[in-house]
Amino acid sequence: MREIITLQLGHLSNYTATHFWNAQESYFTYDGQDESLIDHNVHWRAGIGQDGADTFLPRTVIYDLKGGFGSLRKINDLYDVTSTESTVTAHSLWRGKSAVHKQQVIEQSDYQQSLDEGTTRPQLTEHSVRYWSDFSHAYYHPKSLVQLYDFELNSTIRPFERFAMGTELFDALDREHDIIDRDWRPFVEECDLMQGVQVFTTLDDAWGGFASSYLEELRDEYPKSCLWVWGLQNPLANVPREKRQLRLANTAQCLSNACPLASMVVPLSLPETQLPLHLAVEPGSPWHVSALLSAAAETAAIQSRMRVGQGNSPASLSDVAEGLNTSGNQTLASCAMDVGHHADEGDRSTLDLDLFRVGREANAAPGTDEARGRIFGQLSSYRGTSEPLIEEKGAPTPRPLPGNPHVRRFNTRLQFPLLDSYPHIYKDASSTQPGISIRTVLSTTTAISARISTLRAQVSRSVVVEERENLSNGLAVIADAYRDDWSSGSDEDNDDM
């Protein structure tokens, strides 16, 4: 049934994925409505709750640190059945006095309470959204929620911010539990024909190390599966220089480890330069930042969840990855995005938002120099009503001749939904507007080589000597794959690392 299982790693990733699941939930149709263009079985799993009621829950595994889940309970109303069995068992084991120590419970947000009670929902603001669970519409299976108690969210004493911390945490948990068997395999065993894996993770903190180790285990278990990674980066506004350098080093280490393992890695980041006037994104609000990044990710891969028929042309994650990775070793792609009336203009050569921040100099102007380059593979995805629907063949397009770019376009009339859980960051959209047009372009180009070489130079003094050579070689291999005159003996790299 073309199932995709999602892996969510970290707080910003869970914010982004929550917007994603809210959008998927909005595509459900009911009696008397036209059939949805989206095949819900791709991302949702059917099941039965504790009371025998049918459930439809996301196919996802969610990891966050202690305190990161907010008011979200592991056992929700679908599985919470009052029972005295546990009390009876406890009394049979211990008849003495009991002392109960409880951490202060995080209260539900007003928005969540209104969802539970079916009342009018209050308008969300960047101040009222404290956690990603504050605006989540979906119920999750208890096995989907995995809280890691080794680190605490936003801790100033022991922040979870270094790549090595993530790899060490994964190794420790895996030795104790076998993470793949405990957390992942139950969802895979429910699938008839798994299309692939979608990973939301941050690149520039310890979750990048955790994700790299997780990808290695997944690749060992499923060597032929498509592993698609959305690599998120935290905004750098008002971040001290030392922490900026740490984030660059984390990003470099994560890309060096993830690109050889994943089928496609797409870094997504809020541009550091001034945003277009029609956008109102607050960089300090993860709710705002994740909304923009989620819209890009949800649009760029929308083909993978389209329903067969009605003029749709679904393509698997593997098909999309193969169209971008023309040489077999180009697993890093850039993403650009247009929203609103600019998205409806199909002849624009440069899009408003370049979400590929890897290797960009802080003072580089958008739309210049390395932002362009010779195209190897490109996928343009448009959702809106200004262009006629393009019906593509169900089979993958043939591989182009060597040297020719592989360019595909996909259009659908399904606009991106503007829900009450989504911030008002698009000035062109009214508060009553149900959806908005979006265009995304995923590309593999020669410009990526220069970006990775720049990143390599930026982190040359930020990693310990023992890791420097391996990191340098890993980044050099990635950069070589995007050169016009690729050769394994290239001596153009800076060997200062």
Side-chain angles (χ1 to χ4, degrees):
M1 293 199 305
R2 306 189 304 125
E3 299 93 346
I4 297 175
I5 304 178
T6 300
L7 177 62
Q8 303 172 208
L9 303 175
H11 211 54
L12 180 60
S13 301
N14 289 331
Y15 266 94
T16 305
T18 299
H19 285 297
F20 174 86
W21 292 119
N22 287 351
Q24 305 314 303
E25 192 259 356
S26 73
Y27 300 142
F28 281 98
T29 55
Y30 304 94
D31 292 343
Q33 297 178 319
D34 293 336
E35 187 177 43
S36 174
L37 297 175
I38 299 296
D39 183 356
H40 310 301
N41 292 306
V42 171
H43 281 288
W44 298 77
R45 57 177 295 279
I48 300 176
Q50 196 70 28
D51 60 352
D54 292 335
T55 63
F56 218 40
L57 307 177
R59 300 182 189 274
T60 187
V61 184
I62 304 172
Y63 292 85
D64 213 330
L65 303 180
K66 179 182 178 182
F69 286 87
S71 62
L72 183 65
R73 296 187 301 158
K74 186 175 182 69
I75 308 297
N76 57 53
D77 291 342
L78 298 179
Y79 293 89
D80 189 10
V81 175
T82 303
S83 173
T84 59
E85 290 182 7
S86 59
T87 305
V88 172
T89 303
H91 281 300
S92 66
L93 296 174
W94 176 255
R95 297 186 179 277
K97 292 183 178 180
S98 300
V100 179
H101 299 272
K102 289 186 177 181
Q103 189 175 13
Q104 185 176 0
V105 177
I106 298 175
E107 297 294 333
Q108 269 193 328
S109 66
D110 293 339
Y111 185 85
Q112 279 295 327
Q113 289 181 22
S114 66
L115 281 175
D116 291 343
E117 297 168 1
T119 57
T120 303
R121 303 168 195 168
Q123 183 173 339
L124 291 171
T125 67
E126 58 266 33
H127 302 294
S128 64
V129 177
R130 308 157 299 167
Y131 305 92
W132 53 267
S133 59
D134 286 345
F135 62 96
S136 175
H137 286 193
Y139 282 112
Y140 298 100
H141 192 280
K143 289 185 178 180
S144 286
L145 307 178
V146 184
Q147 188 164 194
L148 305 180
Y149 294 94
D150 302 70
F151 292 85
E152 190 167 0
L153 182 69
N154 298 328
S155 171
T156 56
I157 300 174
R158 195 182 176 212
F160 195 58
E161 62 180 8
R162 295 185 179 275
F163 182 87
M165 288 180 170
T167 57
E168 291 167 3
L169 176 59
F170 182 91
D171 291 343
L173 294 173
D174 198 44
R175 283 194 301 270
E176 184 177 356
H177 300 293
D178 192 339
I179 290 180
I180 299 299
D181 270 347
R182 184 192 70 175
D183 302 338
W184 187 261
R185 203 178 305 280
F187 290 90
V188 177
E189 290 174 348
E190 294 177 342
C191 298
D192 292 333
L193 183 63
M194 186 174 71
Q195 179 184 155
V197 177
Q198 172 181 243
V199 181
F200 288 99
T201 183
T202 39
L203 302 175
D204 55 6
D205 56 17
W207 286 110
F210 194 91
S212 297
S213 297
Y214 215 119
L215 286 171
E216 187 174 359
E217 291 292 323
L218 288 176
R219 182 53 75 199
D220 286 343
E221 290 286 331
Y222 312 101
K224 296 184 179 180
S225 294
C226 180
L227 305 182
W228 189 288
V229 179
W230 300 109
L232 313 177
Q233 293 174 272
N234 293 281
L236 289 176
N238 302 320
V239 174
R241 183 179 182 277
E242 183 179 350
K243 185 160 286 189
R244 276 178 175 249
Q245 201 62 31
L246 174 60
R247 290 186 180 180
L248 284 174
N250 290 334
T251 299
Q253 289 176 291
C254 185
L255 292 179
S256 178
N257 283 270
C259 285
L261 296 168
S263 306
M264 189 57 57
V265 179
V266 184
L268 298 175
S269 171
L270 187 70
E272 287 188 71
T273 53
Q274 184 175 2
L275 293 173
L277 295 178
H278 61 276
L279 287 181
V281 179
E282 173 54 54
S285 169
W287 180 51
H288 273 215
V289 173
S290 62
L292 186 69
L293 302 185
S294 181
E298 208 269 331
T299 300
I302 195 170
Q303 277 183 282
S304 63
R305 64 187 70 97
M306 299 298 288
R307 186 183 299 277
V308 178
Q310 299 185 4
N312 297 322
S313 54
S316 69
L317 285 178
S318 296
D319 293 338
V320 179
E322 289 175 5
L324 295 170
N325 184 3
T326 59
S327 68
N329 55 0
Q330 295 166 332
T331 58
L332 182 67
S334 63
C335 181
M337 177 182 179
D338 265 344
V339 179
H341 66 275
H342 279 179
D344 294 328
E345 300 172 8
D347 57 347
R348 285 167 55 83
S349 58
T350 303
L351 276 63
D352 284 336
L353 290 168
D354 179 7
L355 303 179
F356 188 72
R357 197 180 72 204
V358 173
R360 178 181 287 283
E361 299 288 357
N363 57 354
T368 61
D369 66 306
E370 76 270 4
R372 290 191 289 265
R374 191 179 75 81
I375 296 172
F376 297 111
Q378 186 177 90
L379 171 65
S380 173
S381 300
Y382 168 75
R383 52 196 310 179
T385 57
S386 68
E387 293 185 7
L389 189 68
I390 296 179
E391 183 176 357
E392 301 189 11
K393 302 298 181 183
T397 56
R399 187 176 295 277
L401 295 175
N404 292 342
H406 185 186
V407 179
R408 293 185 63 188
R409 300 179 65 198
F410 177 77
N411 301 338
T412 178
R413 63 179 182 273
L414 181 66
Q415 290 186 311
F416 181 78
L418 297 179
L419 310 174
D420 57 14
S421 61
Y422 197 85
H424 298 300
I425 59 176
Y426 308 126
K427 294 181 180 179
D428 291 346
S430 67
S431 58
T432 59
Q433 190 172 327
I436 195 168
S437 299
I438 290 182
R439 184 187 305 276
T440 60
V441 175
L442 298 179
S443 304
T444 51
T445 70
T446 53
I448 293 179
S449 179
R451 293 288 196 93
I452 295 299
S453 296
T454 300
L455 177 65
R456 186 170 177 244
Q458 288 173 333
V459 302
S460 61
R461 298 290 183 263
S462 302
V463 295
V464 295
V465 176
E466 293 79 7
E467 299 175 358
R468 193 173 296 169
E469 184 176 357
N470 286 338
L471 178 59
S472 175
N473 292 338
L475 294 177
V477 169
I478 296 173
D480 281 343
Y482 296 88
R483 287 202 175 95
D484 258 331
D485 53 344
W486 183 88
S487 113
S488 60
S490 173
D491 59 358
E492 296 178 4
D493 279 333
N494 181 356
D495 296 325
D496 292 339
M497 289 190 74

